[in-house]
C-alpha cells in the first residue's frame, strides 16, 4: 500500500496535469497515476514512422483496442479509438495545441435551438461568464498565443492572449487573402505554442519546424502539461507523478466515500492501493467511464457513481471533415494549425441542422502518411508523389457531434486486456444533422480551397460511421448536470453519488461544441481545483 | 534513364548499386565484401535467393527515374531487413509467402526466375502477385514506402534521398 495522499488523480493530461498543479499550489498533497511513461521527445521528435505509423505512444491495438460499431451487437475489428496516449502529459504532448474558448452558445444548446428529435440537447449548468476567468487563467498558465478579437465569434475576454499568434506561412497567407475576397473574416488560430521564450510557463519560442500535430515538440515550444504545469506541481514538493500505473478500480469505504485507487504497477506487475481523501478521474472520455464501470460494488452494482445509469452514455467525438486540394506551386511543409474561418461557425436558420462547425488549416499529412494514402506503385508512382506531396493542402472541419444516449462506452465482456480487465466497447451512430452539417461544411471548405487557387481532389462525403470521427476528442461520457437522474456529475464536476469523487477530463462535457476541447478541459480543471481547495475540510471527510 | 526495358532486373540492380556507391560525395565507400564478412541480415532471414528477389521486387515497385532515386539507391531493403529483424519479425512469414508466390508466378510464365525478367515482364508478374495476395502485397508496399520516406535512423531513406525526392526540407535533420 502506498502512503495516503489528499488527492489522487488518475491521468496526467490536460485535466489531470492542470489539476495537480492548481491543487499542489494550494498546499494540497497530490499523487497522479499515469499509465504511460515520460515522452522521449528528443529520440522520437518528428519521427513519422514511430509517432504516426507505428504509434509507439499508444498500446498495440491487439492488446488494448476498442471495438466501435453502430449497433450494440455488430461485430467490428478493434481500433485505436479510445486509446488515450499513454504518456505523462497525455494527449497534450502530441496535439496540435489549438486552444479555444467555447462560445457562450456552445454551452446553451437547448436554449438556443430547443428540442431536436433524436438528440438529447441540454444547457451546461455553468455559463461562459462563469468559465471566463478560468479560461483567462489557463491561457496564462499553459501559455496560449493568439490574436484577441480577430475571431468574429470570439466571446468576451477579460485579458488578451499571453503571446502574439504564430506567424502566417505562405499557404495561410494565400488562404486568408482568398477568404477575404469571399467576404469572410479569417483569423490566426489560438494555440498553446509559444511565440516567445516564457520563463513563467517554462517554455521556449517556437522554431517553426512545422512538426506540430501528432508529434512531440523537440524545442519545448508546445506547451504540453508534462513541461508546463506538472514540473511546477512537482516543484512544490507536494505532487508526485507515478508512471506505469494502470488504475483498475476505485475503492469505497464503509460510508460510501471513495477511499483509494488500486493500480497495476507496470514495473512489478503487482496491484498497489493508493489511499486518498479525494479521487479525481482524468483518464479521458473512454477510460474514465470504463474505470467507473470496472469499479462495481454491492453499493454500485452497475458501476461506481452510476445510479443514473448514464456513465458511458452520450459519447461524443468531433466529426473530422477534410477537404484536399492540389495547388500549382509547392508549399513548405507544416503541420501547424494556423488559420481559422468561423463565419459559418453557427448555422443559418435555413440550414436544417444545428451543429457548430469550425474550419481550420494545418492538417496536412507527413510525407510517409501521404504516400501510404496514394494508391499504386511502379514507374508513375514516385514522380506523382514528388509532384503532389508538396502541392497538396487540406482544410479540416471540427463538426459538433450531437449528444445521443444510445452512443455509449460499455465494458466488452468478450474482450479482456492482458491484465484481465474488460476492454471498452463503443456504440456510436451519427445523428442525421451531424451528417448534413459535415457535408455542408466540406462543400464550404472546397469553395475556400478553390478560391485560393487549388484543385479539389476529393469528394464532400457525409461520413456514415465513426471512421470519419476526430477520435482523439472523447467527450460526454460522464455528463455534467444539476439533476442526479439525468447526469453523472454536478456543476462542480463532483459525482452526484459519491461526494469525494470528481471527473475532470472531457467526460463531463454535456455537449461538444465545434472546437477542440483542450483549453476548456484545462480551464475547467482550474475551476474544479478551486472548488476542491475551498472545500478541502469537508471533502477530507 | 527511363528507357531501359531491355535490361534485366539483375543488370539494373548492379547498375544502381554501383551508382549508389559512387554518388554520395564525402562518404566513405562501404568496405568490399570479403569471404569473412557476415551475410546481410536479409539473406540470413529469408535465404540468399529470396533476399535477392525481394530487392528486385522493391526496385520494380519503386524504380529509379530522372529525379527518383528508386528503392535500391534509397536503401529501402536495408530498412526492411532491419525491421524484419526487430519490430516486424512477425511478418517474416508474409515475406516468405510473397516471395514464393512471386517465384511461382514468374516460373509459370516460362521465363525463369523473377530476377532475370526484363522490366516490362517483371511488372506484369508483380501485378499478378498483387492480385493473388492483395493483403500481403499491401503490407509490402507499406514497408517499401516506409523504407523510402521514414527517418534515416531506421535504416532506409539513405542520405535523405526519399525526402529530397518529394521536396521535404526537414529542419531538424538537414
Amino acid at each position: 500500500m502506498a502512503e495516503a495522499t489528499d488527492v489522487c488523480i488518475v491521468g496526467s493530461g490536460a485535466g489531470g496535469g492542470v489539476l495537480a498543479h492548481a491543487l499542489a499550489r494550494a498546499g494540497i498533497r497530490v499523487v497522479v497515476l499515469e499509465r504511460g511513461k515520460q515522452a522521449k521527445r528528443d529520440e522520437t521528435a518528428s519521427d513519422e514512422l514511430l509517432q504516426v505509423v507505428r504509434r509507439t505512444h499508444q498500446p498495440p491495438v491487439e492488446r488494448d483496442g476498442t471495438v466501435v460499431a453502430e449497433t450494440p451487437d455488430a461485430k467490428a475489428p478493434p481500433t485505436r479509438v479510445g486509446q488515450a496516449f499513454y504518456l505523462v502529459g497525455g494527449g497534450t504532448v502530441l496535439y496540435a495545441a489549438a486552444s479555444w474558448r467555447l462560445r457562450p452558445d456552445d454551452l446553451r444548446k437547448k436554449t438556443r435551438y430547443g428540442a431536436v428529435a433524436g438528440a438529447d440537447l441540454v444547457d451546461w449548468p455553468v455559463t461562459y461568464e462563469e468559465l471566463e476567468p478560468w479560461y483567462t487563467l489557463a491561457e496564462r498558465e499553459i501559455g496560449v498565443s493568439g490574436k484577441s478579437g480577430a475571431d468574429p465569434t470570439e466571446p468576451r475576454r477579460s485579458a488578451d492572449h499571453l503571446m502574439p499568434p504564430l506567424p502566417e506561412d505562405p499557404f495561410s497567407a494565400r488562404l486568408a487573402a482568398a477568404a477575404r475576397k469571399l467576404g469572410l473574416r479569417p483569423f490566426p488560430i489560438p494555440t498553446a505554442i509559444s511565440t516567445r521564450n516564457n520563463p513563467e510557463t517554462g517554455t521556449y519560442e517556437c522554431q517553426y519546424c512545422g512538426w506540430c500535430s501528432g508529434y512531440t515538440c523537440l524545442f519545448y515550444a508546445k506547451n504540453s502539461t508534462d513541461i508546463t504545469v506538472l514540473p511546477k506541481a512537482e516543484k512544490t514538493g507536494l505532487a508526485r507523478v507515478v508512471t506505469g500505473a494502470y488504475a483498475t478500480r476505485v475503492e469505497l469505504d464503509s460510508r460510501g466515500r471513495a477511499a483509494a485507487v488500486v493500480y497495476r504497477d507496470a514495473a512489478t506487475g503487482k496491484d498497489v492501493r493508493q489511499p486518498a481523501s479525494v479521487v479525481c478521474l482524468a483518464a479521458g472520455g473512454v477510460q474514465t467511464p470504463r474505470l467507473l464501470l470496472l469499479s462495481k460494488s454491492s453499493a454500485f452494482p452497475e458501476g461506481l457513481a452510476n445510479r443514473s445509469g448514464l456513465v458511458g452514455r452520450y459519447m461524443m467525438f468531433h466529426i473530422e471533415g477534410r477537404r484536399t486540394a492540389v495547388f500549382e506551386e509547392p508549399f513548405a511543409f507544416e503541420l501547424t494549425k494556423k488559420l481559422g474561418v468561423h463565419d459559418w461557425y453557427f448555422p443559418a436558420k435555413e440550414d436544417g441542422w444545428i451543429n457548430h462547425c469550425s474550419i481550420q488549416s494545418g492538417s496536412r499529412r507527413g510525407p510517409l502518411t501521404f504516400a501510404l494514402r496514394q494508391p499504386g506503385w511502379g514507374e508513375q508512382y514516385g514522380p506523382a508523389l514528388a509532384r503532389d506531396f508538396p502541392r497538396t493542402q487540406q482544410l479540416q472541419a471540427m463538426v459538433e457531434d450531437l449528444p445521443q444516449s444510445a452512443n455509449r462506452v460499455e465494458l466488452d465482456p468478450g474482450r479482456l486486456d492482458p491484465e484481465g480487465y474488460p476492454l471498452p466497447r463503443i456504440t456510436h451512430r451519427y445523428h442525421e444533422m451531424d451528417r448534413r452539417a459535415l457535408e455542408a461544411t466540406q462543400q464550404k471548405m472546397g469553395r475556400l480551397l478553390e478560391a485560393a487557387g487549388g484543385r479539389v481532389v476529393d469528394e464532400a462525403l457525409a461520413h456514415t460511421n465513426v471512421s470519419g470521427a476526430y477520435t482523439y476528442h472523447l467527450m460526454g461520457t460522464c455528463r455534467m448536470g444539476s439533476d442526479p437522474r439525468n447526469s453523472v456529475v454536478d456543476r462542480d464536476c463532483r459525482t452526484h453519488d459519491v461526494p469525494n469523487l470528481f471527473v475532470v477530463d472531457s467526460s463531463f462535457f454535456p455537449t461538444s461544441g465545434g472546437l477542440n476541447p483542450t483549453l476548456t478541459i484545462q480551464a475547467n480543471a482550474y475551476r474544479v481545483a478551486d472548488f476542491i481547495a475551498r472545500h478541502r475540510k469537508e471533502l477530507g471527510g | 534513364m527511363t528507357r531501359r526495358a531491355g535490361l534485366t532486373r539483375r543488370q539494373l540492380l548492379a547498375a544502381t548499386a554501383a551508382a549508389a556507391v559512387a554518388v554520395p560525395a564525402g562518404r566513405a565507400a562501404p568496405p568490399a565484401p570479403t569471404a569473412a564478412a557476415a551475410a546481410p541480415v536479409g539473406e540470413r532471414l529469408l535465404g540468399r535467393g529470396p533476399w535477392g528477389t525481394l530487392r528486385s521486387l522493391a526496385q520494380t515497385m519503386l524504380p529509379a527515374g530522372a529525379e527518383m532515386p528508386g528503392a535500391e539507391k534509397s536503401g529501402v531493403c536495408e530498412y526492411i531487413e532491419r525491421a524484419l529483424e526487430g519490430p516486424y519479425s512477425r511478418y517474416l512469414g508474409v515475406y516468405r509467402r510473397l516471395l514464393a508466390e512471386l517465384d511461382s508466378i514468374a516460373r509459370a510464365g516460362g521465363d525463369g526466375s523473377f530476377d532475370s525478367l526484363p522490366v516490362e515482364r517483371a511488372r506484369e508478374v508483380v501485378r499478378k502477385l498483387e492480385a493473388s495476395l492483395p493483403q500481403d502485397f499491401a503490407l509490402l508496399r507499406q514497408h517499401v514506402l516506409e523504407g523510402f520516406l521514414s527517418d534515416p535512423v531506421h535504416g532506409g531513406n539513405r542520405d535523405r534521398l526519399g525526402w529530397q525526392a518529394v521536396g521535404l526540407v526537414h529542419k531538424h535533420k538537414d
Side-chain angles (χ1 to χ4, degrees):
Chain A
M1 191 166 85
E3 189 190 335
T5 186
D6 296 329
V7 179
C8 177
I9 303 171
V10 179
S12 67
V18 162
L19 193 70
H21 173 219
L23 290 174
R25 196 163 56 176
I28 295 171
R29 290 178 304 153
V30 179
V31 171
V32 182
L33 302 179
E34 169 50 54
R35 188 167 178 179
K37 296 179 284 204
Q38 197 79 38
K40 292 182 189 164
R41 62 185 62 236
D42 299 351
E43 284 175 29
T44 59
S46 69
D47 192 318
E48 193 179 12
L49 181 70
L50 293 186
Q51 301 210 357
V52 178
V53 178
R54 291 190 193 160
R55 293 185 185 262
T56 52
H57 296 311
Q58 288 176 307
V61 166
E62 307 81 52
R63 186 199 192 283
D64 263 25
T66 307
V67 169
V68 187
E70 290 201 314
T71 56
D73 48 352
K75 288 208 189 324
T79 68
R80 286 196 168 92
V81 172
Q83 278 179 280
F85 292 101
Y86 292 176
L87 288 171
V88 175
T92 67
V93 178
L94 301 164
Y95 75 152
S99 293
W100 307 99
R101 295 168 175 229
L102 287 175
R103 316 286 114 129
D105 278 0
D106 286 319
L107 315 185
R108 286 196 302 243
K109 209 70 192 174
K110 180 79 178 289
T111 298
R112 175 155 176 165
Y113 299 102
V116 167
D120 301 292
L121 297 188
V122 286
D123 290 352
W124 290 34
V126 292
T127 64
Y128 173 77
E129 284 303 321
E130 286 174 89
L131 284 179
E132 199 285 333
W134 306 109
Y135 273 125
T136 297
L137 180 64
E139 286 177 351
R140 309 235 133 212
E141 298 284 352
I142 298 294
V144 176
S145 61
K147 189 177 175 190
S148 305
D151 174 350
T153 65
E154 187 181 49
R156 182 193 76 83
R157 50 167 55 247
S158 56
D160 284 352
H161 287 96
L162 183 68
M163 294 169 276
L166 290 164
E168 257 183 353
D169 58 290
F171 175 68
S172 43
R174 167 87 81 95
L175 192 68
R180 281 189 207 101
K181 262 193 190 159
L182 294 174
L184 306 172
R185 294 159 291 175
F187 61 91
I189 292 177
T191 63
I193 295 172
S194 294
T195 50
R196 59 169 164 80
N197 293 338
N198 273 308
E200 63 273 37
T201 59
T203 58
Y204 296 88
E205 184 181 353
C206 179
Q207 298 300 300
Y208 311 106
C209 72
W211 292 87
C212 298
S213 183
Y215 295 88
T216 51
C217 177
L218 185 62
F219 302 107
Y220 293 76
K222 189 201 287 184
N223 306 338
S224 47
T225 56
D226 63 324
I227 62 169
T228 55
V229 286
L230 282 168
K232 283 195 218 169
E234 289 178 303
K235 221 173 163 183
T236 63
L238 294 172
R240 193 161 60 88
V241 180
V242 184
T243 56
Y246 168 26
T248 57
R249 184 172 180 83
V250 178
E251 286 192 351
L252 298 182
D253 64 16
S254 55
R255 296 173 298 162
R257 298 171 57 91
V261 179
V262 177
Y263 65 90
R264 181 70 56 91
D265 179 356
T268 64
K270 298 215 164 82
D271 283 342
V272 179
R273 189 170 179 276
Q274 172 61 60
S277 304
V278 174
V279 171
C280 297
L281 305 186
V286 171
Q287 298 296 342
T288 285
R290 175 174 176 240
L291 179 54
L292 290 172
L293 295 173
L294 285 173
S295 303
K296 288 185 174 80
S297 63
S298 53
F300 291 99
E302 301 302 318
L304 185 58
N306 194 24
R307 294 212 172 104
S308 64
L310 296 181
V311 167
R313 288 196 183 268
Y314 302 109
M315 172 91 230
M316 296 175 289
F317 302 102
H318 279 127
I319 314 159
E320 185 194 29
R322 283 183 184 237
R323 218 60 208 284
T324 313
V326 179
F327 289 78
E328 280 188 8
E329 77 278 37
F331 292 102
F333 179 70
E334 284 221 16
L335 290 168
T336 314
K337 286 187 184 280
K338 288 287 182 72
L339 201 77
V341 173
H342 278 174
D343 298 274
W344 299 300
Y345 185 75
F346 299 110
K349 276 217 167 58
E350 63 274 17
D351 279 337
W353 39 269
I354 59 156
N355 310 60
H356 297 171
C357 307
S358 172
I359 293 176
Q360 305 173 8
S361 78
S363 60
R364 277 174 81 167
R365 298 185 196 281
L368 174 56
T369 334
F370 184 90
L372 292 175
R373 285 169 168 264
Q374 306 297 305
W377 51 270
E379 300 271 308
Q380 305 303 318
Y381 180 84
L385 190 66
R387 183 188 66 230
D388 292 340
F389 168 68
R391 290 171 176 79
T392 302
Q393 289 283 358
Q394 286 190 322
L395 290 179
Q396 183 186 37
M398 203 59 68
V399 177
E400 182 172 14
D401 180 357
L402 299 181
Q404 304 174 67
S405 81
N407 289 347
R408 65 189 296 198
V409 179
E410 294 171 278
L411 299 181
D412 193 336
R415 299 185 56 251
L416 305 181
D417 67 13
E419 288 82 7
Y421 297 98
L423 288 161
R425 180 193 161 92
I426 297 173
T427 304
H428 187 281
R429 182 192 296 221
Y430 285 115
H431 192 276
E432 186 54 32
M433 282 191 181
D434 300 343
R435 298 178 190 184
R436 289 210 299 262
L438 173 67
E439 190 169 14
T441 307
Q442 284 179 314
Q443 281 164 1
K444 288 164 186 160
M445 291 193 289
R447 291 213 298 277
L448 261 172
L449 287 165
E450 275 168 7
R455 178 170 51 86
V456 175
V457 293
D458 55 7
E459 302 291 317
L461 291 175
H463 289 291
T464 53
N465 59 44
V466 80
S467 69
Y470 197 73
T471 48
Y472 304 124
H473 300 178
L474 311 168
M475 300 166 285
T477 48
C478 295
R479 185 175 244 205
M480 176 169 68
S482 37
D483 186 343
R485 287 168 305 178
N486 52 31
S487 58
V488 176
V489 300
D490 67 14
R491 68 187 316 285
D492 302 307
C493 287
R494 168 157 65 162
T495 59
H496 290 299
D497 298 346
V498 182
N500 61 340
L501 177 63
F502 292 78
V503 172
V504 285
D505 53 32
S506 42
S507 304
F508 84 86
F509 282 32
T511 57
S512 64
L515 293 163
N516 313 54
T518 301
L519 188 69
T520 301
I521 300 169
Q522 292 167 330
N524 181 66
Y526 279 115
R527 187 180 71 94
V528 173
D530 177 67
F531 177 87
I532 292 173
R534 283 191 287 110
H535 296 81
R536 59 188 295 189
K537 282 216 172 101
E538 57 188 272
L539 285 168
Chain B
M1 257 319 257
T2 48
R3 306 293 311 164
R4 42 161 196 243
L7 290 177
T8 67
R9 306 270 72 206
R10 207 183 287 285
Q11 286 167 323
L12 252 182
L13 279 178
T16 44
V21 171
V23 167
R27 279 180 93 230
T34 64
V41 173
E43 263 182 32
R44 187 154 50 73
L45 294 172
L46 293 167
R48 189 166 182 188
W51 177 242
T53 304
L54 180 66
R55 299 193 85 107
S56 303
L57 173 58
Q59 184 73 357
T60 304
M61 292 169 71
L62 199 65
E67 290 172 30
M68 265 294 130
E72 188 65 25
K73 194 172 164 187
S74 56
V76 164
C77 288
E78 283 65 30
Y79 164 81
I80 290 176
E81 67 183 346
R82 204 197 282 191
L84 285 178
E85 203 182 25
Y88 291 172
S89 58
R90 63 189 185 279
Y91 298 132
L92 266 171
V94 172
Y95 275 78
R96 292 203 180 99
R97 186 160 63 225
L98 273 166
L99 293 168
E101 178 72 3
L102 182 73
D103 200 50
S104 119
I105 294 170
R107 288 179 196 282
D111 303 324
S113 76
F114 179 74
D115 299 28
S116 61
L117 297 179
V119 170
E120 279 303 330
R121 180 81 189 101
R123 247 181 257 150
E124 262 172 59
V125 170
V126 176
R127 274 194 288 271
K128 283 184 183 159
L129 176 70
E130 183 178 18
S132 166
L133 296 170
Q135 281 188 336
D136 292 350
F137 188 84
L139 188 78
L140 170 67
R141 193 191 90 104
Q142 172 172 338
H143 295 174
V144 167
L145 292 172
E146 287 174 3
F148 186 52
L149 290 169
S150 60
D151 191 311
V153 299
H154 301 293
N157 191 7
R158 185 183 291 137
D159 297 328
R160 302 189 285 270
L161 287 171
W163 287 345
Q164 279 170 30
V166 301
L168 179 79
V169 177
H170 199 308
K171 291 184 187 169
H172 299 179
K173 317 279 177 187
D174 286 349

